[in-house]
Each structure stands twice: as structure tokens, then as C-alpha cells.
Amino acid sequence: MTNNIWWEDLQIHMVEWRRHLHRNPEISFQEEKTSSFVANMLESFGIEVTRHVGGHGVIGRLQGDRPGPVVMLRADMDALPIQDEKDVEYASQQSGAMHACGHDGHISILLGTALYFSRHKHEVRGEIRFLFQPAEELLPGGAVQVIADGALNDVDVIYGIHLWTPLPVGVVASTAGPLMAAADDFYIEIKGKGGHGGMPQATIDSVVAGSALVMQLQTIVSRSVDPLRPAVLTIGTMQAGSAQNVIAEQCKLSGTVRTFDEDTRNAMKERVLAMVAQTGAAYGAETQVKYIMGYPPVVNDAQETARFFAEATEVFGEERVQQSPMLMPAEDFAYYLQQVPGCFMFVGAGNPDKNAVYPHHHPMFDFDEDAMQTGVKLFVAMAKSYAAEC
């Protein structure tokens, strides 16, 4: 690609960008300063910039000297509403906000990739678009608005990466087909008839109905879903009552459903709605359900995933390239893959020697910044490989 001195200089820049962003996080749909920072950096590289794409999104465009396809590379920009508890000089300076999922690293990787291609424009065939997307962490997801604003117009292929601390730094992984799950949420209200704890015969106990429903919902995956199709249903909250001797009139439950295909996803929704109604009726209680269909599953294109394995093996060596298992977390990158072929890839960022051991969305989350150079090399290899085939 180029000499080691160039990569060392790029790493210094990426660490500087990443730490600035980590100190100044902005949560979903509020990425105004982050967006401006990104746009200004791209313009300083000599890259054409479009601001306010789908809200706070930014697209950089770099046209090569030779004809070719349009390759899009994507990074997400939003932070999470979590208090940063790390004792580091680059800790978040915004109370209650933190880059706890590596998006600050994603921004820096894509900026690094943009800088690389702006300095090696002779390697560019066709057009490379650098998409910096807002609001990945919060429904309806920034990808929906970005697509509605025309971001995918004329795009031939799209690639995205995610820094991933469960993988050691230097390792990359992906898989063809379903990679990350669809994530749907539900909120249930059960209304019974409250009364004295010593006179249950005059009441309809919403807690008993809710407790039965918790157990009944657990049978959906085990008895209504094909065992060869992964699915998860979790009840996350149960709220009812205010005193030990009062039968609660209302009980509220909430939970999440994770699936990898649309048939199972829709079947799960139907069974949840039916079971809530039937269980409530069995106990004489009224029920209401709010069921929110969230992000669809991330489904990688087979050909582009084959490209990932070929290019990653060439760049990093076979021992550093892994087949990823399917993962239950969700990602709105799924919406792009419904429109154009592409591949979502994990870049290992864990390292116990640098305290990069905490899970994503944890207040102590951090990653090994050396992983950013891996991310740039992967983006560069994928973009060049696709263009070379067209």
C-alpha cells in the first residue's frame, strides 16, 4: 500500500481525531458538532462534501481519474446516553454521554480512509463515497433517513465495519448471509381489578396474570419456532404494585425479540400478540400491546463476503481472518444491504494490556486504538478490489 512511515503518521492523526470525538460525544439525532467536524476534515483533504444528509449526515465524494463504479464506505457517528467512568485523559467531557460502542473509532477510520484515497487518488477507479451516518443507536435509525435523502443513488456496493472488543486487535471477521439479528421490542399493559390483599376473590390480580404471561411467552421460542432458526425472546422489565397488602390493578411488561429471517420475525410477533390476548382473557384481565418492529437483520451479500475473506487474507494473513458467528445485537446497516450488495465486517479491538476488555455499551468501554489502522487497510482493500473487477 505505502511505506510504514505514512501509516505511522496516519495513526497519529486517527488517535488525535478519535480522542477529540471521545471527549465530545453527541447522542443520537444530536450530532451537530460531530457532523461539522467531519465535514471540515473532509474538505481539508480536498474532498467534495454534502452536509445535512438525512439530518446530521455527511457524505464525502472522491472521483478518480479513471472510470469505474460507485463504492460507498459507511461509519456511524452517535454516542450513547451513558456516563463515562474511565480514568483516562480523553474521557468524555459531556455528562451522561459517552462513545461506548466505538463510533468515535469508526469516524476516525473512515476519515483515515478518506485521507488515504485523497493522497493516493491515482489508485481510485470510479467514485468513492464516504458516508458518515447519524443515529445508529436509536430507532427509527439514521440509515432510514439517509437513504430517504438519496444517499444510495447510483451506489454499486457498500461496506461497513464495526470495532469489536470480543475479538483481539489485529483480527477481522464476517460471514455470508445473516450476521446480526433483527431487533423488535414490545410493551404490554395488563389491567385487572385491584383490591385488598386479604380479599383476592373480589379482585382480578394483574400480577398473577403478568407472571403467567412471562412464563407463557418463554414457550414461543421453544414450541412455536423451528429449532433450526435462531430466535430469542426476553422480558426485560415487570412493574406492578405499590404495597405488600394491595392487589395491583395494573402490571406492565416490556421485552425484546431477536430473529434472523423475516418469516420467523413475523411469526414471533403474531404469537406474542395472540398469547398476550389469550393469557389476559384466561385471568379475566384486559391487555394492550405496543409491538415495535425495529431494525431488520443484517444480511451480507455472498459475493462481497467472499471478497472480504480473499482481501483480508491477502492483507492480514489467514490466521487473522475469522468466520464470525451470527450475533444477536442489531445494526441499522441492515437497511443499506436491503438496497445494494455489500458486506458488514468486524475489526478486532480487544486488548487486556490496554484495558480494552469491557463489553460494548459499558461505562468503562474502550478499545485498542491500533485497531483503527486495521480498519483503514480493510476499507482500502475492499474498495480497490471491487473497482478493479468492474
Side-chain angles (χ1 to χ4, degrees):
M1 286 185 179
T2 188
N3 59 53
N4 289 333
I5 295 176
W6 195 95
W7 285 109
E8 290 171 4
D9 288 343
L10 179 61
Q11 179 69 8
I12 291 171
H13 288 305
M14 288 194 293
V15 170
E16 178 184 346
W17 300 331
R18 183 261 167 158
R19 295 188 178 190
H20 165 78
L21 293 163
H22 201 83
R23 293 186 192 99
N24 299 279
E26 293 176 303
I27 62 174
S28 305
F29 299 105
Q30 298 180 23
E31 310 93 337
E32 184 176 357
K33 293 180 180 178
T34 303
S35 175
S36 180
F37 173 82
V38 165
N40 291 340
M41 290 300 304
L42 290 173
E43 288 176 343
S44 75
F45 304 160
I47 292 175
E48 177 189 343
V49 171
T50 302
R51 303 176 187 237
H52 309 298
V53 180
H56 295 306
V58 176
I59 294 180
R61 290 179 171 85
L62 183 64
Q63 186 69 46
D65 297 329
R66 295 173 290 171
V70 177
V71 176
M72 176 166 274
L73 309 175
R74 174 268 203 173
D76 38 15
M77 299 192 294
D78 53 330
L80 286 155
I82 296 174
Q83 181 64 42
D84 194 348
E85 296 181 2
K86 295 190 301 299
D87 183 17
V88 293
E89 59 88 13
Y90 51 87
S92 171
Q93 298 175 0
Q94 305 299 319
S95 178
M98 175 192 174
H99 274 292
C101 202
H103 295 189
D104 50 342
H106 301 169
I107 298 168
S108 302
I109 288 168
L110 194 51
L111 284 175
T113 306
L115 180 58
Y116 175 92
F117 278 119
S118 71
R119 299 295 183 268
H120 300 81
K121 194 175 178 181
H122 62 280
E123 298 180 8
V124 179
R125 296 183 60 180
E127 180 184 331
I128 300 180
R129 294 184 189 172
F130 308 96
L131 169 60
F132 295 83
Q133 179 210 301
E136 184 275 329
E137 296 286 0
L138 187 64
L139 290 175
V144 173
Q145 297 177 346
V146 164
I147 292 170
D149 221 357
L152 290 181
N153 291 352
D154 303 320
V155 171
D156 294 296
V157 71
I158 186 167
Y159 303 119
I161 65 172
H162 202 304
L163 294 171
W164 198 240
T165 57
L167 288 175
V169 66
V171 171
V172 294
S174 191
T175 198
L179 173 64
M180 301 181 76
D184 304 320
D185 298 328
F186 57 83
Y187 300 85
I188 302 168
E189 292 187 13
I190 302 169
K191 184 177 181 181
K193 181 180 178 183
H196 196 288
M199 302 175 66
Q201 74 279 5
T203 72
I204 297 174
D205 194 332
S206 67
V207 173
V208 171
S211 299
L213 184 56
V214 169
M215 300 306 296
Q216 290 298 318
L217 288 171
Q218 300 308 307
T219 68
I220 294 178
V221 172
S222 65
R223 289 296 176 266
S224 298
V225 174
D226 184 338
L228 300 180
R229 295 177 179 265
V232 169
L233 185 153
T234 295
I235 303 295
T237 69
M238 183 175 186
Q239 300 170 336
S242 58
Q244 87 286 355
N245 60 349
V246 176
I247 290 176
E249 184 158 322
Q250 288 190 324
C251 179
K252 296 182 178 181
L253 309 173
S254 68
T256 188
V257 172
R258 306 294 169 113
T259 54
F260 286 95
D261 66 272
E262 290 299 320
D263 288 343
T264 304
R265 188 184 188 194
N266 292 325
M268 289 286 291
K269 178 182 179 180
E270 291 177 5
R271 290 297 295 141
V272 168
L273 296 177
M275 191 162 286
V276 171
Q278 293 162 5
T279 304
Y283 286 88
E286 299 176 9
T287 58
Q288 290 185 340
V289 184
K290 182 180 181 182
Y291 200 103
I292 300 173
M293 301 292 275
Y295 301 159
V298 173
V299 182
N300 278 336
D301 178 81
Q303 183 173 338
E304 295 312 314
T305 307
R307 186 185 311 281
F308 159 77
F309 281 105
E311 293 303 317
T313 299
E314 177 70 22
V315 174
F316 305 115
E318 185 176 356
E319 70 283 358
R320 293 188 175 274
V321 182
Q322 295 184 7
Q323 186 87 30
S324 175
M326 294 191 298
L327 300 171
M328 286 298 175
E331 239 284 353
D332 73 349
F333 193 82
Y335 291 113
Y336 303 120
L337 293 175
Q338 290 182 333
Q339 302 292 322
V340 296
C343 186
F344 196 64
M345 305 163 286
F346 291 107
V347 173
N351 188 347
D353 294 336
K354 297 183 180 181
N355 209 32
V357 296
Y358 293 93
H360 293 250
H361 295 211
H362 190 282
M364 289 288 288
F365 175 82
D366 207 350
F367 64 84
D368 187 333
E369 292 169 326
D370 289 344
M372 295 190 292
Q373 193 172 133
T374 302
V376 174
K377 291 179 178 179
L378 184 56
F379 264 157
V380 168
M382 293 294 286
K384 290 171 63 176
S385 172
Y386 184 88
E389 287 189 2
C390 296

